[in-house]
């Protein structure tokens, strides 16, 4: 869409696609001020003025185009556009070009992010294999060396090698573990999963923590791997309990397990009629800003002695059920939202 306008927004020319997109007759297009077509036109106004007065030859911004026909209760959404403002030979006039930002681009971004996550996992897995292979040799050699050692105090060193090799071994085993495929034995009830997690977490934190239930009992059963989902929800709930330490001490820590259904959700690239939403919400301090956009990556941890694998594992398990996990966090309210398609 292209229009030629004066700095006050009067339109001297607009091409045909303008009329089509705005749903206006040419006469109306040429009559009004261009700025009226935009929601929040102030930035555009300044930009047009700056270009017209020769401060820039060209400038770009993003804006939202209002559909004039949408006022009368018609729920049309504004159109997001890139706006490119250019000088013309004729001083006092500028060319405004609008390019619709396709809905697509958001989906593209999500897809790319998903690809990135996949690539990261692959990398971690390969790396884990590379570490695992020589570890056996290192540990075995240390053991042989220890047997040959005459001096007792020196075994302290071989013990360090053996212990550290074991620790690394356990770590790489956990990095490689989540790739078992789900065992689907039958239908599962999400509330059974929640109840099991509740019991486990309450056993670990018997005092000072309230684990609230907010269940939609009409949620149908679905095919899935019960053990995997318990592990996923457990990891998320345990994290919440861990960050609540202070409130647990004060006795006002609350974690809520909430289940709901959602309609017409898009997960990955597919659209589902019905999905399950499971929220694990806590009143803790929130996810530290510094790791907020990486918490699902392996080895990212915000606590001493953390492995940074809990959420990675949870995500893998939920993805194996074609679902997603998202996190929203602010001090006092953190919610992990698991979404899984229902039949
Ligand atoms: N509910 C939560 N509130 C605040 N921070 C959280 C929460 N859940 C997870 N986190 C942060 O995400 C990090 C990664 O979690 P996770 O992958 O389970 O690894 P780990 O628990 O071993 O650190 C945690 O260390 C913590 O900093
Ligand atoms: Mg954890």
């Amino acid at each position: 869409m292209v229009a030629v306008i004066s700095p006050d927004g009067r339109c001297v020319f607009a091409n045909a696609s303008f009329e089509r997109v705005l749903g206006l007759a040419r006469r109306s297009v040429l009559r009004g001020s261009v700025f009226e077509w935009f929601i929040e036109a102030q930035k555009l106004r300044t930009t047009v003025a700056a270009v017209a007065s020769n401060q820039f030859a060209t400038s770009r911004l993003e804006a939202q185009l209002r559909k004039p026909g949408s006022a009368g209760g018609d729920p049309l959404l504004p159109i997001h556009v890139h706006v490119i403002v250019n000088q013309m030979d004729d001083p006092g006039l500028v060319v405004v070009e609008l390019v619709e930002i396709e809905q697509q681009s958001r989906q593209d971004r999500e897809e790319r992010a998903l690809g990135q996550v996949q690539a990261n996992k692959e990398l971690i897995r390969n790396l884990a294999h590379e570490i695992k292979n020589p570890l056996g040799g290192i540990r075995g050699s240390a053991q042989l060396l220890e047997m040959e050692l005459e001096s007792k105090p020196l075994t302290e060193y071989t013990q360090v090698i053996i212990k550290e090799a074991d620790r690394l071994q356990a770590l790489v085993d956990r990095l490689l573990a989540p790739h078992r495929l789900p065992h689907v034995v039958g239908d599962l009830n999400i509330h059974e999963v929640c109840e099991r997690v509740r019991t486990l977490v309450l056993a670990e934190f018997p005092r000072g923590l309230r684990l609230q239930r907010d269940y939609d009992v009409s949620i149908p059963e679905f095919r899935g791997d019960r053990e995997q989902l318990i592990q996923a929800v457990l990891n998320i709930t345990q994290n919440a309990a861990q960050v609540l330490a202070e409130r647990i001490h004060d006795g006002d820590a609350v974690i809520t397990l909430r289940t709901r259904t959602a309609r017409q959700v898009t997960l990955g690239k597919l659209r589902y009629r019905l999905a399950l939403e499971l929220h694990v919400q806590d009143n803790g301090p929130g996810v530290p800003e510094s790791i907020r956009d990486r918490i699902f990556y392996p080895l990212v941890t915000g606590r001493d002695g953390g492995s940074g694998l809990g959420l990675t594992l949870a995500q893998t398990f939920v993805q194996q059920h074609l679902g997603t996990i998202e996190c929203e966090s602010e001090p006092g309210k953190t919610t992990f939202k698991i979404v899984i398609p229902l039949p």
Side-chain angles (χ1 to χ4, degrees):
M1 290 174 272
V2 182
V4 177
I5 67 170
S6 60
D8 62 3
R10 216 167 28 80
C11 184
V12 295
F13 167 82
N15 70 350
S17 45
F18 245 114
E19 297 167 45
R20 190 167 36 76
V21 171
L22 288 170
L24 288 177
R26 169 150 307 202
R27 253 180 311 117
S28 322
V29 173
L30 294 181
R31 201 163 44 212
S33 157
V34 170
F35 299 128
E36 283 165 20
W37 307 338
F38 292 88
I39 297 169
E40 303 278 331
Q42 196 45 49
K43 198 166 159 210
L44 177 63
R45 231 180 255 273
T46 344
T47 309
V48 168
V51 171
S53 65
N54 229 345
Q55 290 177 38
F56 312 108
T58 175
S59 183
R60 293 164 171 263
L61 65 153
E62 285 186 17
Q64 295 184 49
L65 197 57
R66 194 199 308 273
K67 286 208 165 188
S70 68
D74 185 352
L76 284 176
L77 293 172
I79 308 166
H80 293 258
V81 285
H82 281 298
V83 186
I84 304 145
V85 185
N86 273 310
Q87 274 182 339
M88 283 189 74
D89 292 341
D90 186 346
L93 289 181
V94 297
V95 185
V96 178
E97 189 184 342
L98 305 188
V99 183
E100 243 179 283
I101 301 173
E102 290 156 70
Q103 291 295 89
Q104 206 60 33
S105 78
R106 189 191 133 128
Q107 205 178 335
D108 279 355
R109 262 204 308 277
E110 280 171 6
E111 260 168 44
R112 234 172 300 146
L114 205 64
Q116 193 71 51
V117 169
Q118 251 10 78
N120 277 332
K121 285 203 177 138
E122 194 76 2
L123 173 70
I124 299 275
R125 223 144 71 91
N126 291 338
L127 199 58
H129 269 298
E130 289 303 317
I131 295 171
K132 196 180 165 78
N133 293 336
L135 267 182
I138 293 173
R139 191 186 195 283
S141 306
Q143 263 178 319
L144 288 177
L145 187 62
E146 190 168 280
M147 288 193 285
E148 298 296 320
L149 284 179
E150 312 263 293
S151 136
K152 206 66 198 130
L154 285 180
T155 61
E156 208 180 291
Y157 299 118
T158 48
Q159 276 306 310
V160 170
I161 298 173
I162 292 168
K163 269 241 246 1
E164 289 300 289
D166 287 346
R167 196 177 59 79
L168 268 180
Q169 181 72 50
L171 178 65
V172 294
D173 283 346
R174 285 163 76 189
L175 282 173
L176 293 168
H179 298 272
R180 145 175 113 71
L181 287 173
H183 281 302
V184 179
V185 279
D187 286 350
L188 70 84
N189 180 327
I190 193 62
H191 300 117
E192 263 175 43
V193 171
C194 293
E195 285 299 296
R196 180 98 184 102
V197 168
R198 225 180 141 256
T199 313
L200 290 169
V201 173
L202 283 177
E204 196 181 339
F205 300 87
R207 254 178 299 276
L209 173 64
R210 208 144 55 89
L211 250 166
Q212 252 174 1
R213 313 169 165 100
D214 178 2
Y215 297 161
D216 173 353
V217 290
S218 72
I219 292 174
E221 299 196 337
F222 59 100
R223 297 182 71 72
D225 184 323
R226 194 165 175 252
E227 292 311 313
Q228 281 194 346
L229 287 183
I230 289 174
Q231 192 64 55
V233 180
L234 181 64
N235 288 1
I236 292 171
T237 314
Q238 265 173 340
N239 281 345
Q242 281 158 359
V243 300
L244 281 169
E246 212 167 290
R247 279 188 183 270
I248 288 178
H249 180 262
D250 298 342
D252 64 353
V254 186
I255 298 176
T256 307
L257 297 175
R258 184 182 306 117
T259 58
R260 292 290 184 267
T261 51
R263 283 171 200 288
Q264 304 297 344
V265 292
T266 309
L267 297 171
K269 272 187 231 170
L270 297 174
R271 201 164 170 79
Y272 298 92
R273 196 179 54 81
L274 195 64
L276 153 75
E277 278 194 11
L278 169 60
H279 301 186
V280 180
Q281 185 177 318
D282 68 71
N283 62 347
V287 179
E289 194 77 53
S290 54
I291 56 169
R292 196 164 283 178
D293 42 4
R294 295 179 291 134
I295 47 172
F296 291 102
Y297 290 2
L299 309 181
V300 172
T301 180
R303 65 187 173 93
D304 287 340
S307 69
L309 291 176
L311 289 176
T312 310
L313 202 60
Q315 191 183 47
T316 305
F317 288 160
V318 169
Q319 281 173 353
Q320 288 183 345
H321 290 78
L322 309 178
T324 58
I325 309 184
E326 285 166 22
C327 169
E328 265 174 39
S329 182
E330 59 184 85
K333 186 177 167 190
T334 298
T335 311
F336 281 81
K337 187 168 103 182
I338 298 178
V339 187
I340 291 176
L342 286 173

